[in-house]
Amino acid sequence: MVAPHAATPSLTAALAPGFADPVHDAQRCFRALMQTMARPGTIQAYANETIAPPTPLSRTLAALALTLIDYDTPIWLDPALAQNPAVAGYLKFHTGAPLAETPGDAAFALIGDPAALMPLSNFNQGTLEYPDRSTTLLMHMQTLDAAAQVTLEGPGIKTSQPFGAAPLQPMFWDQLTANNAQFPRGVDVIFAGATGFATVPRSTRITKTEA
Amino acid sequence: MSAHPDTATSPDEGHYNFAYLDEQTKRMIRRAILKGIAVPGYQVPFASREMPMPYGWGTGGVQVTAAILGADDTLKVIDQGSDDTTNAVSIRGFFEKTAGVETTTRTSEASIIQTRHRIPEALLTEDQVLVYQVPIPEPLRFLEPRETETRKMHALAEYGLMHVKLYEDIARNGHIATTYAYPVEVNDRYVMDPSPTPKFDNPKMHEMAALQLFGAGREKRIYAIPPHTKVKSLDFDDHPFEVQKFEKPCGLCGAENVYLDEVILDDKGGRMFVCSDSDHCEDRRSHGHLGEMAADPAASHLASTGEERA
């Protein structure tokens, strides 16, 4: 541990501002998230200019983390986020969430580099008795309005919903199709863009758009 | 406490957090809601808190509403379709006091509608959320008391027991005699209790544009139906699902194809049937629809002058 008087860069980064108004900021973030979870593939605008998470944690991803996690939810950081210890420090300071030893132990997995995402089967898939115990993935995306890569169908979607996000690991949509096939088990994925987010929960059926 | 003029009336400055619950509780409920939406019809266990009202008065619905409610929401609360019954009035007052949100009785103006045992007659929109108060969330509970067994049945989608129950209804009564809390199958997977709504309301759940959330406080379960989701009432090919039919329209507004309450008028067998959805009934009457037992509008001034004299 650093001495109390030594204001190291990682310590000041850990103490960087979270929500300015924890009650209403978290509520606004959650409502937008609930809307997109209930309507898979639609993009909900969300921006919070006051929080200042350490790089490479994006503002949207940090807002989602502050909204969802606390001491009840072990989190897992992918190597891109783990390389800067200030990220873990920031989340620990604001939420008290313990770091999971393996991705399979995590309630939430924060993915800083989705292009290098490990296979989804590494995360907790839940059980048939308790499908709610699976991991939820929070992914830092550069763009959410990429050309449609997939067509989504299922609960929350009236007919069908085109969706695309970038960057993604090449086999990602195949893995997510397999994820849906094991419903009600499986992970839920939240895509955090720069100005909003979208989700694809496990209940969504995925058809890859012909290139 | 200093009586600062700017903050004295702000609900945030009172003794409770916004919408009563603390933030950690809200986060826990919010996580359960998200899981419920991701697995439609599955009952997510959650750490239900004690609320300042007894179990059975909507503690589950209140916790769900408190977790999703924002300062810019407009809340409507109904109890058996009515805005002015005890449960609805007290829960509306609870959120006015602890959250300071706008409340309304108009279905079309509400962004969140908390309900006990009815679905409004008016079609709900994409922008609305319907929160149900649920007493017994487990549809199989009266058939199998063991939680370990019902959990296994849901895991394996083994719902034969429920079909046997409905079959026994037919064997004894000639028809499916379940009239409320009529079990539904959500998204072709989970059998779910729609809470004790009359089965009249079951077809409204199918492909509803609004998000539906269910909270059971004593039983500590939250579940959900996303918008535009298939909700099928269980039935048999030769005994298809049917809703109640009423012989007469509403006595006050003349509405047909709505759910009616029976009101006893005297001890000589006098009765009338009126809309259970009070807002729907008022809205129709304000648009000039009159049932056969509605007061003559021309006579309304007599009633008001009579009150003033009394």
Side-chain angles (χ1 to χ4, degrees):
Chain A
M1 288 300 291
V2 290
H5 60 270
T8 64
S10 77
L11 190 64
T12 48
L15 299 175
F19 284 139
D21 180 354
V23 173
H24 298 290
D25 282 354
Q27 189 274 338
R28 268 190 288 276
C29 184
F30 169 73
R31 272 298 275 280
L33 178 60
M34 185 175 83
Q35 286 293 330
T36 159
M37 192 64 106
R39 291 163 183 82
T42 60
I43 300 163
Q44 282 285 325
Y46 178 83
N48 188 319
E49 299 300 324
T50 57
I51 61 175
T55 54
L57 191 60
S58 74
R59 281 184 169 149
T60 325
L61 198 60
L64 285 169
L66 299 187
T67 302
L68 292 171
I69 69 181
D70 54 36
Y71 53 78
D72 272 346
T73 54
I75 56 170
W76 185 79
L77 304 178
D78 80 339
L81 290 176
Q83 70 175 2
N84 182 359
V87 171
Y90 176 82
L91 294 171
K92 179 89 184 166
F93 172 70
H94 284 288
T95 70
L99 288 178
E101 303 235 328
T102 69
D105 298 325
F108 291 94
L110 279 69
I111 311 298
D113 182 10
L117 179 64
M118 60 165 64
L120 293 180
S121 54
N122 285 288
F123 298 99
N124 192 341
Q125 310 291 308
T127 63
L128 279 174
E129 279 85 359
Y130 291 96
D132 54 300
R133 292 181 181 174
S134 62
T135 305
T136 300
L137 271 63
L138 307 174
M139 309 233 286
H140 165 60
M141 308 307 299
Q142 266 98 53
T143 53
L144 288 180
D145 47 5
Q149 299 146 343
V150 287
T151 305
L152 310 178
E153 289 172 281
I157 302 168
K158 198 167 188 179
T159 50
S160 66
Q161 174 73 39
F163 183 68
L168 284 172
Q169 195 251 40
M171 296 297 286
F172 178 76
W173 291 115
D174 297 293
Q175 289 184 35
L176 214 55
T177 306
N179 182 60
N180 167 251
Q182 56 170 350
F183 183 88
R185 297 174 69 228
V187 300
D188 307 313
V189 184
I190 300 170
F191 302 87
T195 56
F197 30 74
T199 70
V200 179
R202 70 193 86 172
S203 59
T204 302
R205 296 186 297 276
I206 296 158
T207 315
K208 280 210 276 187
T209 310
E210 295 297 326
Chain B
M1 297 287 289
S2 63
H4 193 276
D6 291 340
T7 56
T9 54
S10 163
D12 285 3
E13 299 298 317
H15 296 289
Y16 298 112
N17 189 25
F18 178 80
Y20 185 76
L21 293 176
D22 61 277
E23 290 303 301
Q24 200 274 332
T25 300
K26 286 185 193 169
R27 267 194 302 273
M28 174 269 298
I29 293 172
R30 287 167 181 165
R31 291 193 293 260
I33 290 171
L34 294 180
K35 294 287 186 185
I37 295 171
V39 190
Y42 167 72
Q43 302 161 49
V44 184
F46 81 112
S48 176
R49 302 297 196 243
E50 281 201 36
M51 298 300 285
M53 60 190 75
Y55 289 133
W57 285 75
T59 53
V62 165
Q63 288 179 78
V64 170
T65 300
I68 66 174
L69 192 69
D72 51 356
D73 272 311
T74 305
L75 180 69
K76 171 183 163 82
V77 187
I78 53 173
D79 170 8
Q80 307 270 21
S82 172
D83 291 282
D84 45 19
T85 43
T86 311
N87 200 197
V89 170
S90 61
I91 292 174
R92 203 162 52 230
F94 175 77
F95 282 116
E96 281 169 0
K97 188 172 180 179
T98 59
V101 294
E102 291 274 318
T103 57
T104 182
T105 60
R106 292 186 181 274
T107 304
S108 58
E109 290 172 2
S111 57
I112 298 174
I113 303 172
Q114 182 171 330
T115 174
R116 174 175 176 269
H117 310 354
R118 266 320 301 283
I119 299 173
E121 304 289 356
L123 275 183
L124 301 183
T125 66
E126 293 260 344
D127 302 322
Q128 295 177 307
V129 182
L130 187 59
V131 179
Y132 296 72
Q133 302 170 201
V134 183
I136 310 277
E138 178 52 73
L140 304 165
R141 182 60 69 232
F142 291 110
L143 308 170
E144 169 53 66
R146 288 170 295 182
E147 169 69 14
T148 48
E149 291 301 302
T150 54
R151 189 160 286 280
K152 188 74 89 182
M153 289 176 188
H154 284 296
L156 303 174
E158 172 49 70
Y159 296 120
L161 205 56
M162 186 56 90
H163 282 98
V164 170
K165 190 254 181 194
L166 296 175
Y167 169 75
E168 286 183 347
D169 261 13
I170 295 169
R172 290 203 182 107
N173 306 303
H175 62 279
I176 298 177
T178 306
T179 56
Y180 67 94
Y182 192 104
V184 295
E185 185 184 65
V186 180
N187 187 30
D188 296 320
R189 177 58 177 81
Y190 281 97
V191 165
M192 188 198 92
D193 184 345
S195 86
T197 51
K199 69 177 175 180
F200 182 89
D201 285 339
N202 277 19
K204 295 179 193 162
M205 306 177 94
H206 177 62
E207 307 262 322
M208 186 191 276
L211 170 65
Q212 303 171 71
L213 302 175
F214 299 76
R218 181 189 51 210
E219 304 291 321
K220 302 176 171 52
R221 294 291 185 275
I222 284 172
Y223 49 107
I225 305 177
H228 309 299
T229 299
K230 184 178 169 192
V231 178
K232 185 185 182 306
S233 302
L234 296 182
D235 61 358
F236 297 100
D237 288 346
D238 52 345
H239 286 273
F241 173 77
E242 286 182 336
V243 299
Q244 294 98 325
K245 288 193 176 62
F246 298 93
E247 290 172 2
K248 284 190 188 175
C250 169
L252 293 178
C253 75
E256 294 181 45
N257 300 319
V258 296
Y259 194 74
L260 301 179
D261 284 340
E262 180 181 3
V263 180
I264 306 290
L265 297 175
D266 52 34
D267 58 359
K268 301 182 184 67
R271 62 171 71 171
M272 68 187 296
F273 288 89
V274 296
C275 287
S276 134
D277 185 336
S278 58
D279 172 62
H280 183 72
C281 198
E282 281 166 22
D283 188 52
R284 278 181 57 87
R285 276 181 281 155
S286 71
H287 285 84
H289 298 276
L290 283 182
E292 59 177 22
M293 298 183 82
D296 182 352
S300 60
H301 72 282
L302 296 174
S304 56
T305 48
E307 263 175 33
E308 281 161 21
R309 279 188 206 125

